[in-house]
C-alpha cells in the first residue's frame, strides 16, 4: 500500500475539499487524483512538491509516514511545534482575509493557515494582528497593522482605549470604545477622525474584542496633517468623548 497515496487522501479530507477542488489546486485532472487516492498510480514528484508546500509537510513525511494514523491531529501537532519554538505568537489577518475571518475565527484550521510573526517589544503570549482600511482612525493611516491581545469580557474593557471590534454586522473595525457603567447592553465606537460619527453596537453582537498593543505602519505611509488640523481633530475628539460620557452618565 502506498503511504503517499493515503496521505494525499487524508490531507484532502482534513481540508474538506472534494477531489475536483484538490485536483484544481494541484493543476491535475480529477481522474488522476482519483488514481492516486485509490493507489492505482504513484504521485509524481512535482505533485508531492506542491502538496509539501501547501500543507507545510516534508516530502519525506509524505512518502514514509502515515500522517492519518497519528493519535493527535496533524494540524494541531504542527501548531504546537510552531508555538514550542517561540513563546510569542502573532497571527496576521490581512484586509483580504477579513471576510473569511468572520466565518473562520473559531476554526483552528483557518487560524492555522494565517501567517505569523513576532515583535521584540511585546512579551510572551498569543496575539493577533489586523490590517485596517479607511480613514476613520486618522492619523493612523489606512493599511496599518494593529497588534492586539484578546479581551474576554465586559469588565476588561477600558474606556477610551483602542480596540479591534469584530461583529457580524460591522465586520472588523478599529475604534475607541466607550462603555456605560449602568448598562452592559451597548458599547459606543468612536473614530479618531472627527469626520466620522460615533455609533453604538449591542454587546451581544460583539464576536471578539481585541485591545491594541502596537500599531505598525509602512515607511512614508504616515498621514501628512497640518498642526492646525491635528489640533482641531484632538479638540473635536475631546468634545465627542465628553458628550458621550455625559450621555452614558445620564
Amino acid at each position: 500500500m502506498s503511504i503517499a497515496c493515503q496521505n494525499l487522501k487524508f490531507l484532502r479530507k482534513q481540508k474538506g475539499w472534494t477531489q475536483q477542488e484538490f485536483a484544481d489546486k494541484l493543476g491535475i485532472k480529477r481522474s488522476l487524483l482519483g488514481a492516486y487516492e485509490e493507489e492505482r498510480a504513484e504521485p509524481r514528484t512535482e505533485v508531492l512538491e506542491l502538496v509539501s508546500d501547501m500543507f507545510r509537510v516534508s516530502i519525506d513525511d509524505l512518502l514514509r509516514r502515515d500522517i492519518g494514523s497519528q493519535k493527535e491531529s496533524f494540524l494541531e501537532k504542527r501548531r504546537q511545534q510552531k508555538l514550542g519554538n517561540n513563546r510569542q505568537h502573532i497571527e496576521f489577518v490581512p484586509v483580504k482575509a477579513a471576510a473569511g475571518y468572520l466565518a473562520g475565527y473559531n476554526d483552528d484550521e483557518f487560524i492555522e493557515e494565517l501567517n505569523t510573526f513576532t515583535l521584540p517589544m511585546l512579551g510572551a503570549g498569543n496575539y493577533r494582528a489586523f490590517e485596517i482600511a479607511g480613514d476613520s482612525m486618522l492619523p493612523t493611516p489606512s493599511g496599518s497593522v494593529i497588534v492586539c491581545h484578546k479581551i474576554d469580557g465586559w469588565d476588561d474593557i477600558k474606556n477610551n482605549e483602542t480596540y479591534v471590534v469584530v461583529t457580524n454586522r460591522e465586520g472588523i473595525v478599529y475604534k475607541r470604545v466607550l462603555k456605560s457603567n449602568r448598562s452592559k447592553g451597548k458599547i459606543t465606537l468612536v473614530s479618531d477622525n472627527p469626520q466620522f460619527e460615533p455609533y453604538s453596537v449591542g454587546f451581544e453582537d460583539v464576536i471578539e474584542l481585541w485591545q491594541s498593543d502596537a500599531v505598525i505602519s509602512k515607511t512614508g505611509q504616515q498621514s501628512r496633517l497640518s498642526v492646525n488640523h491635528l489640533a482641531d481633530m484632538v479638540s473635536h475628539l475631546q468634545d465627542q468623548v465628553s458628550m458621550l460620557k455625559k450621555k452614558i452618565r445620564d
Side-chain angles (χ1 to χ4, degrees):
M1 298 176 67
S2 170
I3 293 178
C5 292
Q6 294 178 46
N7 285 335
L8 257 63
K9 186 174 183 178
F10 171 75
L11 291 171
R12 173 178 68 80
K13 290 189 172 183
Q14 280 282 91
K15 284 292 189 181
W17 294 334
T18 65
Q19 283 191 339
Q20 187 62 61
E21 288 172 333
F22 195 21
D24 290 342
K25 293 177 185 297
L26 296 174
I28 61 177
K29 294 182 179 180
R30 189 209 60 78
S31 58
L32 180 56
L33 178 62
Y36 291 160
E37 293 191 357
E38 293 169 13
E39 302 181 36
R40 292 183 284 107
E42 287 292 326
R44 300 195 303 266
T45 301
E46 55 267 31
V47 171
L48 292 176
E49 289 175 345
L50 286 171
V51 174
S52 174
D53 291 340
M54 193 178 299
F55 291 92
R56 301 176 200 167
V57 58
S58 70
I59 293 179
D60 186 64
D61 281 348
L62 286 173
L63 290 171
R64 301 181 179 214
R65 291 174 54 199
D66 183 359
I67 296 173
S69 68
Q70 297 179 27
K71 292 183 180 179
E72 58 181 320
S73 163
F74 168 70
L75 291 176
E76 178 61 24
K77 184 174 182 179
R78 200 174 73 198
R79 175 193 290 270
Q80 294 303 322
Q81 288 173 341
K82 288 171 64 179
L83 288 173
N85 295 329
N86 197 326
R87 295 171 58 216
Q88 186 191 96
H89 187 63
I90 306 175
E91 296 143 343
F92 176 51
V93 183
V95 168
K96 64 182 180 181
Y101 185 84
L102 292 177
Y105 69 93
N106 206 26
D107 183 341
D108 289 341
E109 289 188 27
F110 175 84
I111 299 301
E112 170 64 26
E113 293 305 313
L114 295 174
N115 288 325
T116 61
F117 64 97
T118 61
L119 285 176
M121 72 281 291
L122 294 181
N126 292 334
Y127 300 87
R128 199 152 293 172
F130 298 85
E131 182 185 16
I132 62 172
D135 297 331
S136 68
M137 289 299 282
L138 286 174
T140 302
S142 180
S144 296
V145 175
I146 314 300
V147 182
C148 323
H149 67 275
K150 193 174 184 182
I151 297 301
D152 292 325
W154 176 271
D155 293 335
D156 294 324
I157 299 174
K158 298 177 182 178
N159 265 327
N160 206 31
E161 295 289 334
T162 52
Y163 294 83
V164 169
V165 185
V166 183
T167 68
N168 282 320
R169 182 176 299 180
E170 300 293 333
I172 300 173
V173 297
Y174 176 53
K175 301 289 182 183
R176 293 191 182 277
V177 173
L178 294 177
K179 64 178 181 178
S180 170
N181 291 326
R182 295 185 178 182
S183 171
K184 295 186 178 182
K186 289 185 178 181
I187 56 175
T188 301
L189 306 185
V190 183
S191 301
D192 282 351
N193 186 343
Q195 295 180 0
F196 293 79
E197 294 294 326
Y199 60 95
S200 295
V201 173
F203 196 68
E204 70 277 4
D205 295 327
V206 175
I207 298 172
E208 290 183 335
L209 197 58
W210 297 82
Q211 184 173 358
S212 62
D213 294 299
V215 178
I216 304 172
S217 299
K218 293 180 181 178
T219 302
Q221 190 182 23
Q222 299 298 330
S223 300
R224 293 177 174 83
L225 299 176
S226 68
V227 174
N228 289 337
H229 192 178
L230 284 172
D232 290 342
M233 287 179 64
V234 171
S235 178
H236 191 88
L237 180 60
Q238 289 174 338
D239 291 342
Q240 281 186 338
V241 171
S242 297
M243 186 185 309
L244 288 167
K245 284 183 176 179
K246 185 176 184 300
K247 288 182 179 179
I248 289 172
R249 288 195 300 269
D250 295 341

